[in-house]
Amino acid sequence: MNFTQFSRRAALRQVGPLLGLCLALGTAHAATFPDKPVRLVVPFPAGGGTDIIARAVGQHLSETQKWTVVVDNKPGAGGNLGVDAVAKAPADGYTLVLGQTSNLAINPTLYAKLPYDPLKDLKPVVLAATAPLVIVVPMDSKFTSLDALLTAARKAPDRLVFGTPGNGTVAHLAAEQMQKAAGVRMQHVPYKGSAQALTDLMGGQIDAYVSSVPTALSHLKGGRMRALAVTSLKRSTQLPQVPTVAESGLKGFEANTWFGFLAPAGTPAPVLDSLNKAINGALKAPSVRERLMGEGGEVLGGSQAEFTALLKTDLQRWGQIVRDAGARID
């Protein structure tokens, strides 16, 4: 035996027990997990769609699993502050984030400098839900269908005006994707949220608005605005009478916001498995499903691998849409 072979065998004899000890510790940790409160970071203010999902799941885990789940709203920088806080938290499973398309798949390309890498610094646990957008116009608008709106935009480029909750949001980029697919150009007005945008829409200052379903729902039911199309491949359960963009002539079009739970990279696999199992159980509960579907969402669930695959795909897809739109935040 030469010296190199001896060194390798000696190293393996030392490393083997260490690996076994690490695996044993990880398994033991999972067996007692959680033995203290789990902090669930929502990177947006209270009351929004992300917050609603977090509190519905957290409440169910508290009631059925006897977990102590503390929802921590940490808004700022388009959701980046909250996601970054979890990316830098201890990798023990006691700090999670409920991220979404914007801060995980769009912001890495939209922002010139992002303090975290979604694939390197975070570990997907489970997808929670997906929700479409809805394109709305004032109730007295002459446009009664998406095709009519796009036909008018095609005849008069840059004359029609659409609003969104802000530059680089899913709504903005979905509208850019739709214009590209339809071969039209409209003027974009980015708002800081939806309140002023909906006031301007109903006042006739803008021609159309790209909204989340929950934001528009009460106005639609109240007869103050009209829905032209939803951006999902299939119709929304909350707006079953409204056609999809694909049904309106742009075949294959889809642009949704998805929501998912993630942990810091390095979280032990047995702990991730425990989290995945528990959250999947919560998402199957009728009370949770009813709450999420009532907000216009479709409940998902599934494996860690499925969420990871979606994140990788959407990082590329939305990244290209951001580049095509020329959107950038320094």
Side-chain angles (χ1 to χ4, degrees), residues 9 50 205 217 295:
R9 291 187 179 182
T50 310
Q205 277 75 47
L217 204 52
E295 294 295 324

Side-chain angles (χ1 to χ4, degrees), residues 1-10 13:
M1 179 187 300
N2 60 36
F3 179 75
T4 301
Q5 291 174 320
F6 176 80
S7 299
R8 287 175 178 171
R9 291 187 179 182
R13 283 196 297 270

Side-chain angles (χ1 to χ4, degrees), residues 131-135 170-172 174-175 210-213 229-232 255-257:
L133 300 163
V134 59
I135 302 156
V170 177
H172 171 210
V210 185
S211 173
S212 68
V213 171
V230 293
T231 60
S232 48
N256 298 322
T257 294

Side-chain angles (χ1 to χ4, degrees), residues 191-280:
Y191 288 84
K192 293 182 178 179
S194 61
Q196 185 59 49
L198 294 178
T199 298
D200 285 358
L201 178 74
M202 289 181 283
Q205 277 75 47
I206 58 177
D207 297 294
Y209 182 66
V210 185
S211 173
S212 68
V213 171
T215 297
L217 204 52
S218 63
H219 298 286
L220 293 170
K221 290 181 177 179
R224 293 182 290 276
M225 60 179 65
R226 178 188 303 126
L228 300 185
V230 293
T231 60
S232 48
L233 274 179
K234 62 181 183 179
R235 296 193 180 194
S236 167
T237 55
Q238 291 297 304
L239 299 169
Q241 77 282 7
V242 179
T244 66
V245 173
E247 289 175 325
S248 302
L250 301 181
K251 292 184 179 180
F253 184 93
E254 181 182 21
N256 298 322
T257 294
W258 46 255
F259 307 82
F261 294 88
L262 301 96
T267 300
V271 173
L272 292 172
D273 291 340
S274 296
L275 288 166
N276 176 272
K277 181 179 179 180
I279 296 173
N280 264 311

Side-chain angles (χ1 to χ4, degrees), residues 145-155 178-179 182 184 186 250:
S145 69
L146 180 62
D147 181 63
L149 177 70
L150 295 177
T151 298
R154 196 173 291 113
K155 291 178 179 178
M178 182 180 68
Q179 290 182 90
V184 305
M186 294 185 282
L250 301 181

Side-chain angles (χ1 to χ4, degrees), residues 156-193:
D158 294 319
R159 290 288 300 276
L160 296 181
V161 180
F162 74 94
T164 71
N167 276 320
T169 59
V170 177
H172 171 210
L173 296 174
E176 295 291 346
Q177 184 183 5
M178 182 180 68
Q179 290 182 90
K180 182 179 179 181
V184 305
R185 292 201 317 271
M186 294 185 282
Q187 291 187 50
H188 173 225
V189 177
Y191 288 84
K192 293 182 178 179

